[in-house]
Tab-separated table of all heavy atoms in Angstrom:
chain	number	residue	atom	x	y	z
B	17	ASP	N	4.740	-23.621	1.516
B	17	ASP	CA	6.038	-24.274	1.381
B	17	ASP	C	7.176	-23.267	1.333
B	17	ASP	O	8.194	-23.385	2.041
B	17	ASP	CB	6.036	-25.098	0.020
B	17	ASP	CG	7.017	-26.164	-0.029
B	17	ASP	OD1	7.679	-26.380	0.953
B	17	ASP	OD2	7.004	-26.894	-1.018
B	18	MET	N	6.971	-22.108	0.618
B	18	MET	CA	7.992	-21.097	0.557
B	18	MET	C	8.252	-20.479	1.947
B	18	MET	O	9.436	-20.085	2.170
B	18	MET	CB	7.539	-19.974	-0.503
B	18	MET	CG	7.802	-20.274	-1.954
B	18	MET	SD	9.578	-20.555	-2.335
B	18	MET	CE	10.109	-18.910	-2.275
B	19	LEU	N	7.226	-20.368	2.732
B	19	LEU	CA	7.355	-19.754	4.064
B	19	LEU	C	8.287	-20.508	4.952
B	19	LEU	O	8.860	-19.982	5.937
B	19	LEU	CB	5.977	-19.607	4.752
B	19	LEU	CG	5.043	-18.505	4.180
B	19	LEU	CD1	3.705	-18.544	4.849
B	19	LEU	CD2	5.675	-17.092	4.443
B	20	THR	N	8.451	-21.772	4.687
B	20	THR	CA	9.289	-22.581	5.555
B	20	THR	C	10.759	-22.591	5.059
B	20	THR	O	11.618	-23.219	5.686
B	20	THR	CB	8.801	-24.080	5.601
B	20	THR	OG1	8.946	-24.637	4.269
B	20	THR	CG2	7.380	-24.171	6.032
B	21	LYS	N	11.035	-21.975	4.004
B	21	LYS	CA	12.446	-22.011	3.468
B	21	LYS	C	13.303	-20.971	4.120
B	21	LYS	O	12.975	-19.903	4.252
B	21	LYS	CB	12.401	-21.854	1.892
B	21	LYS	CG	11.491	-22.852	1.205
B	21	LYS	CD	11.856	-24.284	1.569
B	21	LYS	CE	10.864	-25.340	0.870
B	21	LYS	NZ	11.103	-26.675	1.423
B	22	SER	N	14.579	-21.427	4.285
B	22	SER	CA	15.500	-20.462	4.904
B	22	SER	C	16.142	-19.585	3.857
B	22	SER	O	16.068	-19.868	2.679
B	22	SER	CB	16.663	-21.325	5.633
B	22	SER	OG	17.424	-21.977	4.635
B	23	THR	N	16.810	-18.508	4.287
B	23	THR	CA	17.588	-17.694	3.323
B	23	THR	C	18.606	-18.549	2.558
B	23	THR	O	18.719	-18.338	1.375
B	23	THR	CB	18.306	-16.575	4.221
B	23	THR	OG1	17.317	-15.914	4.988
B	23	THR	CG2	19.031	-15.598	3.302
B	24	GLU	N	19.249	-19.389	3.262
B	24	GLU	CA	20.257	-20.226	2.539
B	24	GLU	C	19.622	-21.039	1.502
B	24	GLU	O	20.193	-21.180	0.377
B	24	GLU	CB	20.949	-21.122	3.626
B	24	GLU	CG	22.223	-21.922	3.038
B	24	GLU	CD	23.045	-21.172	1.958
B	24	GLU	OE1	23.431	-19.995	2.215
B	24	GLU	OE2	23.090	-21.632	0.865
B	25	GLN	N	18.466	-21.613	1.761
B	25	GLN	CA	17.761	-22.469	0.740
B	25	GLN	C	17.361	-21.606	-0.461
B	25	GLN	O	17.486	-21.983	-1.626
B	25	GLN	CB	16.581	-23.100	1.297
B	25	GLN	CG	16.921	-24.301	2.274
B	25	GLN	CD	15.774	-24.887	2.967
B	25	GLN	OE1	14.982	-24.108	3.581
B	25	GLN	NE2	15.573	-26.237	2.846
B	26	LYS	N	16.908	-20.370	-0.194
B	26	LYS	CA	16.505	-19.510	-1.315
B	26	LYS	C	17.764	-18.963	-2.069
B	26	LYS	O	17.655	-19.039	-3.314
B	26	LYS	CB	15.806	-18.265	-0.698
B	26	LYS	CG	14.383	-18.685	-0.028
B	26	LYS	CD	13.564	-17.481	0.411
B	26	LYS	CE	14.090	-16.782	1.649
B	26	LYS	NZ	13.281	-15.693	2.109
B	27	ASP	N	18.777	-18.667	-1.401
B	27	ASP	CA	19.998	-18.250	-2.103
B	27	ASP	C	20.644	-19.400	-2.985
B	27	ASP	O	21.043	-19.096	-4.118
B	27	ASP	CB	21.102	-17.787	-1.154
B	27	ASP	CG	20.704	-16.400	-0.524
B	27	ASP	OD1	19.892	-15.628	-1.208
B	27	ASP	OD2	21.241	-15.987	0.477
B	28	GLU	N	20.528	-20.577	-2.440
B	28	GLU	CA	20.976	-21.659	-3.213
B	28	GLU	C	20.233	-21.863	-4.508
B	28	GLU	O	20.862	-22.117	-5.556
B	28	GLU	CB	20.884	-23.013	-2.421
B	28	GLU	CG	21.484	-24.234	-3.083
B	28	GLU	CD	21.146	-25.525	-2.378
B	28	GLU	OE1	19.933	-25.806	-2.150
B	28	GLU	OE2	22.144	-26.257	-2.030
B	29	ALA	N	18.926	-21.748	-4.416
B	29	ALA	CA	18.101	-21.851	-5.669
B	29	ALA	C	18.530	-20.701	-6.689
B	29	ALA	O	18.535	-21.001	-7.913
B	29	ALA	CB	16.630	-21.647	-5.249
Side-chain angles (χ1 to χ4, degrees):
Chain B
D17 202 359
M18 279 299 284
L19 285 174
T20 63
K21 302 306 174 191
S22 67
T23 303
E24 187 36 56
Q25 287 172 309
K26 295 186 287 183
D27 287 339
E28 185 191 55

